[in-house]
């Protein structure tokens, strides 16, 4: 009779359990699913490992009969068997992951394979070195310096399994998830018990057999049912995604419609507020009243700026904002920004420095309006958040190639600066940094976010460097097509209208011209007539499309301003009927759309309707004067 150095009763019991599982699995589960086939392989591997364990004990018990090399070879096969069982456990868990393109899962697969292969290689090396364990010629068993790798390697693989379960937690049933966790937990519990016994009671394989029994309880779904369930789930997800997309589109359309209506409703009274105050500033002889009017106009323009921010954000969010590229003068762009902010900086006691490269090409091609919007927003913020010191605006052409120029814009200030942890908030919509500290500073919190979105549309990005308490620097680089490569020179000598005041001397004077203004809001008619009082132009007015048709049938006009949204007959229909009048007095008369609907108000859209041009409310004297010079000058 053989006498064993260790108690192998638990190994024999494990072997009995595994043979039973083998018979059942062979009959019911081995060919149903890929996961079940791996389970079947785990049973076979465990049975072979049990046999190796029994043979090792025979080798240790009879060293005079069994050569040491045979024991070491058996030990190698045993080690490979235990590591293979752990690796197959990982593969079993991975079988329930549908997202096989996941980069994270592929990384986990690679790490697990490296652990498995490394352990096998180390087990092979152990035959010759005994770094894990060895047996002397007299049958004495010794643990090597790397003995704990027997436990560490499977533990690392178990850790990989837990990560897989976490990544794909929604792809497992509760039974599958708990059985996989139980498989490793039971196995490691028995490994610890074996270590605590000083390896005198061989419990590891018994634990593996029990844990495989738990795993078997989850092998109840045939392949066609799994596929059917997966397809049903995909259909459900697809249906829900479609419904969610439709709901989002409906909500977005409702929001756009609401914003369009609100834009019209808010801009109409603002047209009166800003327009009448402009008239008061021009006509009043009382300096106090003129100052009141100036303050009221400034408040109206501030409100208009807030509305524009919200509308721009909405258009960007819904993908309806587009860039309109055209030729523009670089000197004029920079001069207008200088005129706009020089006085504001002086009023606050700040020094505004414009450091501009005179060798920048004089004419470029891009969306000048949006570039000005970005620069205006950043310069405005720099002045708002700077209490003392200076604002420096630097513009430089950093490179040229293939008829394009890279223009770098940089705006720095000596303001309060931004904490490093708040920099990310700067780019988020509706965020206000240090709300309590900055509660007296106006703004929606949308400006920088809009700038970032616009720059992204232009293929650029906004860079921010800031030191808290010392100041901030905002910069971006735009690649623009060169129209005229001649240097722009000193922007300061460019003669353009002052952006701070509407210069009466620049107004057109055309007493021989006759225009028609059509608007259903009486106050808007009064504003436009008041603004144009100094032009000596003959002005007729109509408060409806029907009234406009009556007048155009009798009078030949040089220019018509037509409100877009009017009751009964809107501006588009009125324009069409004017062009179709039998006598054709105004068939060639330019008709300019008057609109408060900035959300829908792209010039191209109104031109597509048939308008010659468009003028947006609140109407400013400088803007209407520009139209008059264009069509009457």
């Amino acid at each position: 009779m053989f006498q064993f150095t260790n108690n192998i009763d638990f190994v024999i019991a494990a072997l009995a359990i595994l043979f039973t599982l083998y018979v059942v699995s062979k009959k019911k589960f081995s060919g149903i699913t890929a996961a079940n086939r791996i389970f079947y392989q785990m049973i076979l591997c465990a049975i072979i490992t049990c046999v190796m364990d029994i043979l090792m004990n025979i080798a240790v018990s009879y060293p005079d009969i069994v050569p040491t090399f045979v024991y070491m070879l058996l030990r190698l096969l045993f080690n490979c068997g235990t590591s293979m069982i752990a690796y197959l456990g990982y593969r079993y868990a991975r079988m329930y992951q549908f997202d096989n393109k996941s980069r994270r899962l592929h990384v986990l697969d690679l790490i697990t394979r490296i652990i498995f292969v490394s352990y096998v290689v180390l087990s092979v090396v152990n035959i010759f070195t005994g770094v894990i364990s060895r047996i002397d010629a007299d049958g004495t068993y010794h643990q090597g310096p790397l003995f704990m790798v027997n436990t560490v390697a499977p533990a690392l693989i178990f850790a990989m399994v837990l990560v897989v379960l976490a990544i794909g937690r929604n792809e497992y049933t509760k039974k599958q998830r708990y059985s996989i966790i139980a498989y490793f937990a039971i196995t490691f519990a028995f490994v610890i018990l074996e270590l605590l016994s000083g390896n005198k009671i061989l419990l590891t394989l018994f634990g593996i057999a029990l844990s495989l029994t738990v795993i078997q309880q989850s092998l109840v779904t045939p392949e066609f049912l799994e596929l059917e369930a997966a397809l049903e789930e995909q259909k459900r997800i697809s249906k829900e995604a479609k419904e969610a997309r439709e709901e989002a589109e409906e909500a977005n359309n409702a929001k756009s419609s609401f914003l369009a209506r609100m834009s019209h409703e808010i801009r109409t009274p603002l047209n009166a507020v800003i327009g009448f105050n402009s008239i008061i500033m021009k006509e009043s002889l009382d300096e106090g009243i003129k100052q009141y009017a100036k303050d009221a106009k400034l408040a109206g323009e501030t409100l208009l700026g807030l509305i524009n921010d919200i509308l721009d954000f909405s258009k960007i969010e819904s993908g309806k904002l587009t860039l309109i590229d055209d030729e523009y003068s670089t000197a004029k762009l920079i001069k207008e920004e200088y005129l706009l902010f020089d006085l504001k900086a002086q009023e606050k006691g700040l020094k505004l420095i414009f450091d501009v490269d005179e060798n920048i090409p004089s004419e470029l091609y891009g969306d000048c309006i949006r570039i000005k919007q970005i620069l205006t927003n950043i310069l405005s913020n720099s002045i708002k958040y700077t209490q003392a010191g200076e604002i420096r605006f630097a513009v430089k052409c950093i490179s040229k190639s293939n008829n394009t120029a890279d223009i770098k814009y940089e705006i720095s200030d000596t303001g309060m600066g931004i904490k490093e942890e708040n920099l990310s908030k700067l780019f988020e919509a509706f965020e206000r940094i240090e709300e309590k500290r900055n509660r007296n500073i106006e703004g929606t919190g949308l400006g920088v976010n809009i700038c970032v979105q616009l720059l992204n549309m232009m293929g650029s990005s906004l860079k921010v460097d800031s030191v808290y308490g010392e100041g901030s620097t905002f910069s971006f680089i735009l690649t623009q097509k060169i129209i005229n490569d001649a240097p722009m020179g000193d922007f300061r000598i460019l003669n353009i209208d002052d952006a701070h005041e509407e210069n009466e001397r620049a107004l057109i004077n055309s007493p021989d011209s006759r225009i028609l203004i059509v608007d259903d809001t009486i106050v808007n008619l009064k504003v436009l007539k008041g603004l144009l009082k100094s032009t000596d132009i003959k002005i007729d007015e109509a408060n409806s499309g029907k009234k406009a048709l009556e007048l155009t049938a009798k009078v030949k006009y040089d220019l018509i301003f037509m409100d877009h949204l009017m009751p009964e007959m809107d501006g588009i229909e009125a324009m069409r009927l004017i062009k179709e009048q039998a006598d054709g007095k105004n068939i060639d008369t330019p008709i300019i759309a008057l609109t408060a609907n900035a959300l829908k108000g792209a010039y191209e859209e109104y031109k597509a309707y048939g308008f010659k041009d468009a003028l947006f409310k609140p109407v400013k004297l400088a803007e209407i004067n520009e139209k008059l010079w264009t069509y009457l000058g």
Side-chain angles (χ1 to χ4, degrees):
M1 291 290 295
F2 286 118
Q3 296 180 357
F4 301 113
T5 57
N6 289 2
N7 184 346
I8 64 168
D9 293 345
F10 284 96
V11 180
I12 295 172
L15 201 55
I17 294 171
L18 290 168
F19 269 115
T20 303
L21 287 174
Y22 172 81
V23 173
V24 175
S25 300
K26 183 69 175 177
K27 185 176 181 180
K28 290 186 177 182
F29 303 119
S30 62
I32 295 178
T33 67
N36 291 351
R37 286 193 291 272
I38 289 181
F39 171 75
Y40 174 69
Q41 295 167 8
M42 292 166 69
I43 294 175
L44 287 177
C45 190
I47 290 173
I48 294 171
T49 305
C50 284
V51 173
M52 293 301 104
D53 202 10
I54 293 172
L55 292 176
M56 278 195 305
N57 276 275
I58 294 174
V60 172
S61 301
Y62 296 92
D64 53 336
I65 298 176
V66 183
T68 301
F69 180 81
V70 173
Y71 168 81
M72 297 300 288
L73 185 60
L74 292 171
R75 168 61 68 176
L76 168 64
L77 296 175
F78 175 84
N79 288 349
C80 291
T82 54
S83 61
M84 177 60 76
I85 292 169
Y87 181 73
L88 288 173
Y90 173 83
R91 293 304 307 162
Y92 178 84
R94 276 286 279 115
M95 283 296 102
Y96 294 99
Q97 288 286 345
F98 298 135
D99 185 13
N100 289 318
K101 294 182 179 180
S102 170
R103 185 177 179 181
R104 292 183 298 176
L105 291 174
H106 286 316
V107 171
L108 289 175
D109 290 347
L110 178 61
I111 293 173
T112 305
R113 282 195 292 269
I114 290 174
I115 294 170
F116 170 68
V117 172
S118 298
Y119 181 74
V120 171
V121 171
L122 194 59
S123 297
V124 173
V125 172
N126 182 65
I127 295 177
F128 308 101
T129 62
V131 292
I132 299 177
S133 64
R134 71 179 191 278
I135 186 170
D136 296 336
D138 59 358
T140 304
Y141 175 80
H142 298 279
Q143 294 181 356
L146 299 181
F147 176 78
M148 287 306 295
V149 76
N150 291 324
T151 303
V152 172
L156 290 175
I157 294 176
F158 181 36
M160 297 300 103
V161 170
L162 293 178
V163 177
V164 168
L165 291 174
I167 292 174
R169 55 186 174 277
N170 296 325
E171 297 178 15
Y172 298 89
T173 64
K174 285 186 177 180
K175 182 179 287 187
Q176 290 166 347
R177 184 164 55 249
Y178 291 151
S179 65
I180 293 170
I181 294 174
Y183 168 75
F184 283 92
I186 293 171
T187 299
F188 274 97
F190 278 86
V191 169
I192 293 171
L193 289 174
E194 181 174 323
L195 290 174
L196 292 175
S197 72
N199 295 318
K200 292 181 180 179
I201 304 177
L202 305 180
L203 295 171
T204 298
L205 290 168
F206 184 75
I208 290 174
L210 291 180
S211 63
L212 287 173
T213 304
V214 175
I215 286 280
Q216 190 198 44
Q217 303 309 306
S218 65
L219 306 180
V220 293
T221 307
E223 186 173 8
F224 75 92
L225 288 178
E226 284 190 355
L227 292 174
E228 185 179 70
L231 288 173
E232 287 300 319
E233 179 68 10
Q234 290 298 323
K235 288 179 182 178
R236 183 187 66 80
I237 293 172
S238 178
K239 182 180 178 181
E240 290 180 354
K242 182 180 179 181
E243 291 174 352
R245 184 169 60 253
E246 290 174 351
E247 289 177 4
E249 289 175 355
E250 289 178 4
N252 189 58
N253 290 335
K255 181 183 70 174
S256 296
S257 177
F258 170 77
L259 287 171
R261 292 196 305 272
M262 289 307 297
S263 171
H264 182 272
E265 295 302 324
I266 295 173
R267 283 170 176 266
T268 297
L270 271 179
N271 187 51
V273 171
I274 296 174
F276 280 135
N277 279 290
S278 295
I279 295 170
I280 293 170
M281 289 168 60
K282 288 175 64 64
E283 297 184 357
S284 177
L285 300 177
D286 188 315
E287 290 299 323
I289 292 177
K290 290 177 70 172
Q291 184 60 47
Y292 292 149
K294 182 178 181 181
D295 292 341
K297 181 187 175 188
L298 180 60
E301 290 175 342
T302 299
L303 178 58
L304 180 62
L306 298 179
I307 294 169
N308 287 338
D309 275 354
I310 294 172
L311 293 177
D312 274 347
F313 176 76
S314 175
K315 286 189 284 186
I316 291 172
E317 190 181 45
S318 62
K320 294 182 179 180
L321 188 144
T322 57
L323 299 177
I324 303 174
D325 293 337
D326 200 356
E327 300 176 6
Y328 66 90
S329 164
T330 51
K332 183 179 179 182
L333 167 67
I334 296 168
K335 180 68 174 286
E336 287 176 346
E337 290 300 302
Y338 176 80
L339 293 175
L340 184 61
F341 289 102
D342 183 47
L343 182 59
K344 291 182 179 180
Q346 290 181 34
E347 290 174 348
K348 202 171 180 182
L350 301 174
K351 186 177 182 181
L352 182 62
I353 302 171
F354 269 54
D355 182 9
V356 181
D357 180 5
E358 296 185 4
N359 292 315
I360 296 174
S362 59
E363 292 184 39
L364 298 173
Y365 186 82
D367 193 332
C368 180
I369 293 175
R370 294 302 178 182
I371 296 173
K372 285 174 63 177
Q373 181 179 355
I374 295 167
L375 294 174
T376 298
N377 197 292
I378 298 174
L379 280 166
S380 177
N381 281 344
S382 291
I383 290 176
K384 282 195 296 186
Y385 290 96
T386 301
Q387 303 306 318
E390 66 181 34
I391 311 294
R392 179 176 293 272
F393 177 39
V395 189
K396 185 177 182 181
C397 179
I398 58 176
S399 65
K400 294 180 186 178
S401 62
N402 299 325
N403 296 321
T404 63
D406 292 334
I407 311 299
K408 182 176 182 180
Y409 295 90
E410 185 175 276
I411 299 168
S412 57
D413 60 59
T414 56
M416 59 183 65
I418 305 166
K419 293 180 180 178
E420 186 174 352
E421 60 268 24
N422 287 333
L423 281 174
S424 60
K425 293 182 181 179
L426 186 66
F427 302 99
E428 296 177 10
F430 304 106
E431 280 283 355
R432 294 288 303 275
I433 297 173
E434 296 191 76
E435 188 73 38
K436 290 183 179 180
R437 181 182 181 187
N438 301 325
R439 61 183 178 274
N440 294 324
I441 296 178
E442 299 172 340
T444 59
L446 288 173
V448 176
N449 180 271
I450 291 171
C451 290
V452 170
Q453 300 277 14
L454 289 173
L455 286 171
N456 287 341
M457 293 173 67
M458 296 178 184
S460 183
S461 60
L462 184 64
K463 181 181 178 183
V464 183
D465 295 306
S466 186
V467 178
Y468 189 64
E470 296 184 13
S472 305
T473 299
F474 295 78
S475 62
F476 59 91
I477 298 173
L478 289 179
T479 300
Q480 303 279 271
K481 182 180 177 181
I482 299 173
I483 300 299
N484 187 344
D485 198 23
M488 75 170 193
D490 187 354
F491 75 92
R492 293 174 180 82
I493 64 175
L494 182 69
N495 183 23
I496 63 173
D497 292 340
D498 195 317
H500 301 305
E501 299 178 0
E502 292 158 344
N503 191 339
E504 187 173 342
R505 290 176 299 174
L507 285 177
I508 190 171
N509 187 273
S510 184
D512 296 329
S513 299
R514 192 179 194 97
I515 68 173
L516 173 64
I517 302 174
V518 186
D519 199 307
D520 64 303
T521 305
I522 301 301
V523 71
N524 286 339
L525 295 173
K526 290 182 179 179
V527 168
L528 287 170
K529 287 186 70 175
L531 289 173
L532 298 177
K533 185 183 296 183
S534 302
T535 64
D536 291 332
I537 295 173
K538 299 179 183 68
I539 301 173
D540 290 341
E541 58 185 75
N543 61 0
S544 68
K546 183 179 179 180
K547 180 66 174 176
L549 289 174
E550 294 175 1
L551 292 173
T552 54
K554 301 174 183 178
V555 180
K556 164 64 178 176
Y557 290 102
D558 298 295
L559 186 64
I560 298 174
F561 290 98
M562 178 76 70
D563 187 20
H564 175 197
L565 297 178
M566 294 185 293
E568 298 181 6
M569 182 187 298
D570 68 13
I572 297 174
E573 185 180 1
M575 174 188 62
R576 180 179 60 79
L577 293 175
I578 289 172
K579 299 295 184 182
E580 294 175 356
Q581 284 177 326
D583 53 14
K585 282 186 173 62
N586 293 283
I587 191 170
D588 296 322
T589 301
I591 301 179
I592 297 177
L594 278 175
T595 178
N597 191 350
L599 191 64
K600 297 180 180 178
Y603 285 98
E604 285 71 16
E605 188 172 348
Y606 284 99
K607 287 180 180 178
Y609 288 141
F611 289 105
K612 189 70 174 179
D613 209 330
L615 191 62
F616 298 95
K617 300 174 184 177
V619 176
K620 295 182 180 180
L621 179 57
E623 294 172 351
I624 194 170
N625 188 51
E626 181 184 347
K627 304 300 181 188
L628 293 173
W629 273 111
T630 301
Y631 298 103
L632 302 180

